[in-house]
Amino acid sequence: VVQLVESGGGLVQPGGSLRLSCVVSGFTFTSYSMKWVRQAPGKGLEWVSTIHSSGRSTIYVDSVQGRFTISRDNAKNTLYLQMNSLKTEDTAAYYCATADHYLDKSPSVAPPMTSLGQGTQVTVSS
């Protein structure tokens, strides 16, 4: 069974930092590029960042470039998102997902996933 379990969200003040984690099971993590997507209240899914299966290539949406860092630990089957200099507009539920390829900028899930997990809520507010 494919499982992705996100954690690390919470309430943080503007300018603060959070580190999200996503533990993966049920498929060969090292064979897949991975991504983070988010959904703000009342809005659709937005792609945030994608990382190559090796971890050597990363891409970001313009709004988080220079503030967020995606990484992975293939030995631990874990994906990370380090979020610094958080802004109120970063408030959203964050989800990890498999990517079609290392340049995937779609917010949709790719095989072997069929749907998003429970996500982790990030709220940026003073």
Side-chain angles (χ1 to χ4, degrees):
V1 177
V2 173
Q3 277 197 310
L4 293 85
V5 180
E6 303 94 341
S7 63
L11 174 63
V12 63
Q13 293 186 338
S17 297
L18 283 173
R19 188 194 196 202
L20 307 184
S21 298
C22 170
V23 178
V24 168
S25 61
F27 64 96
T28 306
F29 183 65
T30 54
S31 296
Y32 290 88
S33 294
M34 297 292 297
K35 61 187 174 184
W36 288 95
V37 301
R38 65 185 178 183
Q39 187 166 27
K43 297 189 176 181
L45 281 172
E46 177 188 32
W47 167 78
V48 175
S49 180
T50 301
I51 186 168
H52 188 272
S53 57
S54 68
R56 287 197 289 267
S57 175
T58 59
I59 53 174
Y60 300 90
V61 66
D62 286 348
S63 60
V64 309
Q65 181 78 47
R67 300 188 297 121
F68 289 11
T69 302
I70 189 171
S71 63
R72 63 194 295 160
D73 185 335
N74 284 346
K76 295 182 178 180
N77 280 12
T78 303
L79 180 71
Y80 301 101
L81 187 67
Q82 177 67 44
M83 306 186 296
N84 299 329
S85 303
L86 282 161
K87 304 177 179 180
T88 55
E89 52 263 43
D90 295 318
T91 295
Y94 284 73
Y95 304 88
C96 59
T98 42
D100 265 331
H101 50 79
Y102 73 102
L103 297 177
D104 181 0
K105 295 183 179 181
S106 165
S108 303
V109 299
M113 288 182 69
T114 55
S115 61
L116 293 173
Q118 87 287 349
T120 187
Q121 178 67 38
V122 172
T123 302
V124 186
S125 174
S126 55

